[in-house]
């Protein structure tokens, strides 16, 4: 496998690791991940192709692992992903994007993406895709754990923005949906950084500064912390 997706996955991974990687994408039944550190050459890694579809947090965990971290919590993230994939019935082997659903009940994401790109990003063609999605309910760990709702996600290898269909609702102002889309576009423009301690930072300083350039940023954050909470209490089943 030596296609565009593999090379963009590799470039992304190398950026996170901060080192060159001799990457082999395997389709073995037995090996999900194997890595060696030859003295005089780049890190050698054989990674199962299912990781090409992994979400950002898993790829970051993978990057930490490749950097040599044997942190248990980090590794359990990778393990959880593999187990989830293992458990999927008839898992997709397609390299294609999932079916995109942009025309929602209240808002059309295609139109919103285009208008946000036009207004804030000089109408640049960043090659992004967008879709509504309904997240699977996560199992609650403890009754007191503070839950948070993810309004949007950015899937870097596929350049795919996914927006939680919870906010496809007339009670949510359009500017809030615009803001969430804006935030996810920033993930494309400001990829995660790895700091001196080897920790990957998603919402780093440059990211946050760019985020604040959104028109009415303060008002939106205030609204999110007040009215949006009531909306969530009413509409979101924890
Ligand atoms: Zn984010």
């Amino acid at each position: 496998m030596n296609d565009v997706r593999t090379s963009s996955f590799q470039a992304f991974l190398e950026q996170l690791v901060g080192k060159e990687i001799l990457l082999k994408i395997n389709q073995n039944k037995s090996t999900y991940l194997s890595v060696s550190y030859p003295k005089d050459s780049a890190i050698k890694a054989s990674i199962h192709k299912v990781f090409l579809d992994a979400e950002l947090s898993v790829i970051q965990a993978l990057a930490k692992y490749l950097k040599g971290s044997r942190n248990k919590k980090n590794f359990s993230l990778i393990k959880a992903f593999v187990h989830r994939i293992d458990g999927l019935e008839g898992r997709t082997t397609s390299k294609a994007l999932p079916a995109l659903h942009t025309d929602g009940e209240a808002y059309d994401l295609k139109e919103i993406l285009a208008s946000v790109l036009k207004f804030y990003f000089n109408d640049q063609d960043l090659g992004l895709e967008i879709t509504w999605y309904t997240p699977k309910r996560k199992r609650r760990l403890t009754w007191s754990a503070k839950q948070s709702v993810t309004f949007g996600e950015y899937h870097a290898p596929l350049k795919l923005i996914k927006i939680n269909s919870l906010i496809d609702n007339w009670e949510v102002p359009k500017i809030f949906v615009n803001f969430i889309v804006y935030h996810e576009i920033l993930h494309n423009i400001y990829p995660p950084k790895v700091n001196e301690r080897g920790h990957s930072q998603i919402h780093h300083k440059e990211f946050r500064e760019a985020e604040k350039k959104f028109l009415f940023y303060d008002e939106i954050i205030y609204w999110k912390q007040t009215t949006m909470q009531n909306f969530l209490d009413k509409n979101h089943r924890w």
Side-chain angles (χ1 to χ4, degrees):
M1 283 178 78
N2 200 5
D3 56 21
V4 177
R5 275 193 68 210
T6 304
S7 48
S8 74
F9 178 83
Q10 173 162 6
F12 185 60
L13 205 56
E14 284 182 334
Q15 190 193 357
L16 289 178
V17 174
K19 276 184 188 147
E20 197 191 327
I21 301 167
L22 289 170
L23 180 67
K24 192 183 147 216
I25 298 295
N26 76 60
Q27 304 189 52
N28 295 348
K29 285 211 171 75
S30 55
T31 313
Y32 273 109
L33 173 62
S34 82
V35 57
S36 62
Y37 303 88
K39 263 201 173 137
D40 310 311
S41 82
I43 300 171
K44 271 188 180 167
S46 173
I47 294 172
H48 196 277
K49 67 171 184 174
V50 291
F51 283 100
L52 293 176
D53 289 313
E55 57 265 31
L56 186 58
S57 56
V58 174
I59 297 173
Q60 286 172 324
L62 191 61
K64 276 188 200 163
Y65 185 84
L66 293 181
K67 284 183 80 160
S69 159
R70 294 298 176 261
N71 177 286
K72 266 191 182 169
K73 211 175 141 195
N74 188 61
F75 191 61
S76 69
L77 245 163
I78 300 172
K79 243 168 46 185
F81 171 73
V82 164
H83 287 160
R84 203 174 76 220
I85 293 295
D86 263 346
L88 286 181
E89 287 282 326
R91 76 181 179 215
T92 172
T93 50
S94 148
K95 283 178 256 167
L97 285 163
L100 303 179
H101 167 56
T102 53
D103 191 11
E105 296 286 319
Y107 297 117
D108 181 353
L109 284 180
K110 226 176 178 168
E111 183 255 308
I112 288 181
L113 177 64
S115 71
V116 173
L117 284 171
K118 190 168 183 179
F119 192 84
Y120 290 98
F121 301 97
N122 214 8
D123 221 356
Q124 266 181 87
D125 183 5
L126 299 171
L128 299 171
E129 301 285 355
I130 194 162
T131 188
W132 290 111
Y133 82 114
T134 306
K136 301 214 170 65
R137 285 183 67 190
K138 287 182 192 141
R139 186 172 293 139
R140 193 197 286 259
L141 289 177
T142 68
W143 288 101
S144 60
K146 192 174 180 291
Q147 303 285 316
S148 66
V149 177
T150 305
F151 296 115
E153 283 178 22
Y154 179 61
H155 189 291
L158 288 178
K159 293 187 136 207
L160 175 65
I161 293 173
K162 301 200 300 182
I163 304 295
N164 191 333
S165 55
L166 180 72
I167 60 172
D168 181 21
N169 188 313
W170 289 116
E171 287 182 51
V172 176
K174 190 173 187 179
I175 193 169
F176 185 73
V177 183
N178 287 3
F179 175 66
I180 299 300
V181 171
Y182 176 80
H183 176 106
E184 301 308 330
I185 295 171
L186 291 182
H187 279 305
N188 171 268
I189 297 177
Y190 299 94
K193 282 185 173 180
V194 179
N195 69 13
E196 323 77 56
R197 290 158 63 211
H199 295 164
S200 162
Q201 297 176 305
I202 302 176
H203 301 119
H204 44 75
K205 206 169 151 239
E206 285 87 347
F207 184 101
R208 288 301 185 198
E209 274 165 13
E211 190 181 32
K212 284 184 187 139
K213 291 192 180 135
F214 192 84
L215 230 56
F216 303 112
Y217 174 83
D218 291 333
E219 288 82 354
I220 288 167
I221 296 301
Y222 178 76
W223 182 86
K224 185 181 170 190
Q225 287 159 354
T226 53
T227 315
M228 190 64 188
Q229 278 311 315
N230 299 333
F231 173 82
L232 290 177
D233 290 343
K234 204 170 66 186
N235 292 283
H236 186 60
R237 296 179 57 221
W238 297 108

